[in-house]
Each structure stands twice: as C-alpha cells, then as structure tokens.
Amino acid sequence: MRILISLCLSCIVYSVGMANDWGKTGHRVTGEIAENYLTPEAKKQIDSLLNGQGLAFVSVYGDDIKSDDRYKKYGPWHYVNYPFDKKYGDEKPSKHGDLIQGITTCVQVLKSTKATHEEKVFYLKMLVHLVGDLHQPLHVGRGEDKGGNDIQVRWFREGSNLHRVWDSDMIDYYGMSYTELAANADRLAPIAVKTLQEGTIIDWVEETRALAKKVYASAEIGQKIGYSYMYQQFPIVRKQLQKGGIRLAKLLNDIFAA
Ligand code: ADE
Ligand code: ZN
Ligand code: ZN
C-alpha cells in the first residue's frame, strides 16, 4: 500500500511538474504558419536539413527530448524569467542559459560554416520550438512562481494552473487541429507582416513580457476560470501563435538567405 501511495504521489508530482510549453498543437500552429512566410531559398535549405519533415512536425522536438537525460542542459532554454521592474540584461543572464541565449545559439550554429549537418538539424528543430515558447507570455514570466506553474486555478471543473491554461488548456478547449488553427489565422497585409518582423529577439521578448504582466493580472490563485476567460484571452493566444510563425520565418529567411 505504501509503495502504491508513493507511486501515485510521484506520478502527480511528475505530471504537475511537467510544463509542456505551448503544448503540441500550439507549437505546430506556429511551425505551420511559418511555412507560409518562407522564401524559396530558405524552404529549399530547410527541406534538405529536415528530409521531408515540416516545421510543424519538428516543432515539438524541443519538448520530446526533455525525457532524455542527455539533453538536460537544454531545459532552461525554454523560458526566461527576470523581475518585472527590470529589462532583460539589467541583471547578469543565467549561466545555465535561457530562452534568449538558446535562440541566439541556434541562430549562430545555423549560420556557421563549420557546423555539421547533424548539428544544424538539431539546432533548427530547437529554434522552431523556442521561437514558439518566446511567444507564450508565461515563458517570459516570473521566476518565483515558475512562470505561473505554481499558480493553481480551476479550468472549468478541472484542477490546472495558470501556466497550463496558457500552454494548452485554452488551445485544447477550442478543439481545432493545428492545421485548422493555422489555416484560420487572421489574414494580414504585407505591411503588417513586415512590421511584426521588425525588431530584435530581445524586443520580441519585452513585448511578450508586457503580455505576461496582463496574464498575471487576469486570474487569482484558486480562481475558477472557463467560458469568459476563453472569450477574452483566446484571441491573444491565436495572435501570439501567428506572431511566432511570422517571426520564425523571418529568422529562417535571414539564416538561409541565398
Ligand atoms: N520553469 C521556471 N520558469 C518557467 C517558465 N517561465 N516557464 C516554464 N517553465 C518554467
Ligand atoms: Zn509552458
Ligand atoms: Zn519549450
């Protein structure tokens, strides 16, 4: 009996502790949208690296490898936390790495003439994933509550936490596949696309951070959230997934310029 109880407890701890980022659907939407904004040259070079797999397919690789201890050091790459009254860079960036250092490394390796084919494949898959994470507001959150993972809330009748609501509960509740969500992204004029692609990775992080502040203010610990939360917040989720795709394409087009 004791063994059974401790087994159950470790399962609960494991499942609560497993932050799964945007969730598979969210990451795939971002990958799928990025495909629509690639230049022919970038498409060609990406295809030769991914050997038939699309950006949506490889977008979840960054989460898949979390279960493999050999890839433990990439864990901190999925998020960046710093105090709300500071800008990134005001304090020394974490020596364990963070989302910005992760993305920067991916870009460097992909641009390098010295990196091997295998290295490029790995860092390309990571880049697709991490640009998705960069647009999940709570991946640019507060360290003390692990980006909202420690803020327990009720999602309809189920126990959840604020981080999970933003990673996956809202997206799953909507009930569309990643291809349907990507196909129904708002149509944007070329100038709007160009505007979204302006700025640096740090600018994008600060923009996501402004959203994170609103997300923290959107729900109290223990609050029951559901229909009206979905109605108010899901448009922001859709927008963030689309921005992620459009900006991922921008990074890839620059990396793989002819
Ligand atoms: N762990 C600690 N901070 C986190 C964050 N912002 N997002 C996901 N996991 C985290
Ligand atoms: Zn997450
Ligand atoms: Zn992630």
Side-chain angles (χ1 to χ4, degrees), residues 19-38:
N20 217 350
D21 309 349
W22 268 130
K24 284 192 163 50
T25 306
H27 278 288
R28 287 174 178 154
V29 173
T30 288
E32 186 74 3
I33 289 175
E35 296 271 5
N36 300 331
Y37 293 94
L38 292 177

Side-chain angles (χ1 to χ4, degrees), residues 20-23 26-27 135-139 147-148 153 155 160-172 208 211-212 214-219 225 229-230 232-241:
N20 217 350
D21 309 349
W22 268 130
H27 278 288
H135 289 84
Q136 204 287 43
L138 292 174
H139 278 244
V153 295
W155 174 249
S160 188
N161 64 64
L162 195 57
H163 190 98
R164 204 177 96 179
V165 166
W166 278 80
D167 266 354
S168 53
D169 286 340
M170 283 193 275
I171 295 173
D172 294 346
T208 305
L211 279 177
K214 290 189 187 167
V215 172
Y216 276 109
S218 70
I225 55 180
Y229 196 86
M230 188 72 196
Q232 287 165 28
Q233 309 291 347
F234 192 62
I236 300 170
V237 172
R238 285 182 64 227
K239 185 90 225 164
Q240 288 305 101
L241 296 175

Side-chain angles (χ1 to χ4, degrees), residues 1-14:
M1 190 60 189
R2 227 183 251 172
I3 294 174
L4 203 68
I5 290 171
S6 78
L7 212 75
C8 284
L9 273 177
S10 55
C11 281
I12 292 167
V13 169
Y14 182 72

Side-chain angles (χ1 to χ4, degrees), residues 25-234:
T25 306
H27 278 288
R28 287 174 178 154
V29 173
T30 288
E32 186 74 3
I33 289 175
E35 296 271 5
N36 300 331
Y37 293 94
L38 292 177
T39 58
E41 181 61 26
K43 224 185 220 343
K44 196 172 93 190
Q45 293 195 43
I46 289 166
D47 193 53
S48 92
L49 286 170
L50 296 182
N51 196 28
Q53 300 177 354
L55 297 182
F57 189 85
V58 302
S59 67
V60 294
Y61 176 77
D63 278 339
D64 290 345
I65 61 173
K66 281 181 179 169
S67 58
D68 186 332
D69 278 349
R70 286 175 303 166
Y71 298 104
K72 237 187 169 67
K73 70 168 180 175
Y74 300 104
W77 283 20
H78 295 256
Y79 51 87
V80 57
N81 300 316
Y82 50 98
F84 270 148
D85 57 352
K86 296 262 177 5
K87 291 244 176 288
Y88 182 79
D90 283 355
E91 287 179 358
K92 212 165 164 283
S94 165
K95 66 177 192 306
H96 302 293
D98 60 36
L99 188 46
I100 295 168
Q101 297 176 60
I103 291 178
T104 308
T105 304
C106 292
V107 172
Q108 273 168 0
V109 174
L110 289 167
K111 281 185 170 167
S112 159
T113 50
K114 297 201 182 80
T116 64
H117 181 89
E118 281 66 35
E119 283 168 336
K120 290 201 178 194
V121 172
F122 176 83
Y123 287 96
L124 173 57
K125 290 177 179 178
M126 288 303 285
L127 180 64
V128 177
H129 180 87
L130 297 176
V131 176
D133 281 346
L134 189 157
H135 289 84
Q136 204 287 43
L138 292 174
H139 278 244
V140 187
R142 286 193 307 229
E144 58 266 35
D145 53 44
K146 301 189 192 70
N149 273 297
D150 292 343
I151 300 178
Q152 306 300 319
V153 295
R154 290 198 78 73
W155 174 249
F156 288 89
R157 298 165 82 173
E158 278 173 40
S160 188
N161 64 64
L162 195 57
H163 190 98
R164 204 177 96 179
V165 166
W166 278 80
D167 266 354
S168 53
D169 286 340
M170 283 193 275
I171 295 173
D172 294 346
Y173 180 80
Y174 202 69
M176 267 192 174
S177 67
Y178 81 84
T179 45
E180 290 167 332
L181 282 166
N184 287 283
D186 291 348
R187 193 172 301 131
L188 295 179
I191 182 72
V193 173
K194 194 165 170 282
T195 305
L196 283 176
Q197 292 179 328
E198 281 165 3
T200 62
I201 292 162
I202 297 201
D203 293 334
W204 300 343
V205 164
E206 296 296 347
E207 182 199 86
T208 305
R209 183 139 188 98
L211 279 177
K213 290 183 191 169
K214 290 189 187 167
V215 172
Y216 276 109
S218 70
E220 305 268 316
I221 292 177
Q223 197 178 327
K224 186 168 182 288
I225 55 180
Y227 293 115
S228 77
Y229 196 86
M230 188 72 196
Y231 176 69
Q232 287 165 28
Q233 309 291 347
F234 192 62

